[in-house]
Amino acid sequence: MHQSIFWLIFDISETDFKKSLSQPNISTNIAKGGKVDQSSLYGKGVPGRAIDGNRASKWGDDSCTHTHNDFSPWWRLDLQKQYKITSVTITNRRDCCHDRINGAEIRIGDSLNDNGNSNPRCTVISTIAAGASKTFQCNGMEGRYVNIVIPNKKQYLTLCEVEVTGIETEEESEEYVCN
């Protein structure tokens, strides 16, 4: 009897373990391996600072991006593959100007038209408190590019961290028909 209980527990544990291996982890930050660009460069505020894994939110900490005072400033992450995006978390600047992010949009898609800023919109950011990190749900929107843009406004764009969670989409297999 003890042996059959052992095999039952072992069998269930093995099944659960195999299931956990086949299910992707949607809490992993997929932004870290991406390539980034932005509308312009102010000082040392290079776009890669937003995906350096550091949520430091003061300009002097060398972890925030910064554009010039552009019309419709934008920042873009190329994930290199298409994903179903679950969420985007943005860390806002603490030491100054935290309201600059107000009205920014998160856009997700596969197009580079208008630098990716015409892709479908996940959300409009109404506000993020100074130095805070706020998560926005994108509910499986599909795309290779994640853009943050302040549309139709002359403004600086500063991002101290951008984290993205999602699941890589499976590529459709091509079917060949032989006649």
Side-chain angles (χ1 to χ4, degrees), residues 25-178:
N25 182 356
I26 59 170
S27 63
T28 301
N29 180 10
I30 58 175
K32 283 186 178 183
K35 294 186 177 180
V36 288
D37 198 4
Q38 64 188 27
S39 54
S40 63
L41 176 62
Y42 179 90
K44 294 189 233 173
V46 295
R49 286 181 169 187
I51 59 168
D52 62 3
N54 183 352
R55 286 186 173 184
S57 57
K58 294 180 185 172
W59 175 250
D61 292 337
D62 295 332
S63 187
C64 301
T65 70
H66 206 307
T67 67
H68 280 283
N69 191 17
D70 298 334
F71 185 78
S72 296
W74 55 268
W75 176 91
R76 181 180 64 236
L77 168 66
D78 179 352
L79 294 167
Q80 307 289 299
K81 296 177 184 175
Q82 190 181 57
Y83 285 83
K84 289 183 179 181
I85 305 300
T86 306
S87 66
V88 176
T89 301
I90 298 174
T91 301
N92 198 11
R93 187 169 170 179
R94 173 186 307 272
D95 56 334
C96 147
C97 334
H98 70 277
D99 59 341
R100 288 179 181 168
I101 194 79
N102 298 354
E105 298 177 349
I106 300 172
R107 293 187 168 262
I108 296 169
D110 292 321
S111 173
L112 283 176
N113 290 343
D114 188 24
N115 294 302
N117 297 319
S118 60
N119 280 320
R121 185 172 60 203
C122 164
T123 194
V124 175
I125 300 166
S126 57
T127 186
I128 302 175
S133 298
K134 188 170 183 178
T135 300
F136 301 90
Q137 299 303 317
C138 296
N139 303 317
M141 289 180 72
E142 292 189 20
R144 172 178 172 167
Y145 303 105
V146 177
N147 279 49
I148 299 168
V149 58
I150 303 174
N152 305 316
K153 186 176 179 183
K154 190 170 171 120
Q155 184 61 279
Y156 296 94
L157 176 62
T158 303
L159 303 166
C160 293
E161 193 65 21
V162 178
E163 299 160 81
V164 179
T165 62
I167 301 169
E168 187 177 340
T169 58
E170 295 180 23
E171 293 182 28
E172 294 180 17
S173 61
E174 294 182 31
E175 292 183 28
Y176 296 96
V177 178
C178 298

Side-chain angles (χ1 to χ4, degrees), residues 3-21:
Q3 187 176 12
S4 55
I5 291 173
F6 168 76
W7 286 115
L8 178 63
I9 292 170
F10 176 75
D11 190 43
I12 291 170
S13 299
E14 185 179 26
T15 303
D16 290 342
F17 177 73
K18 285 180 180 175
K19 232 189 260 186
S20 71
L21 287 178

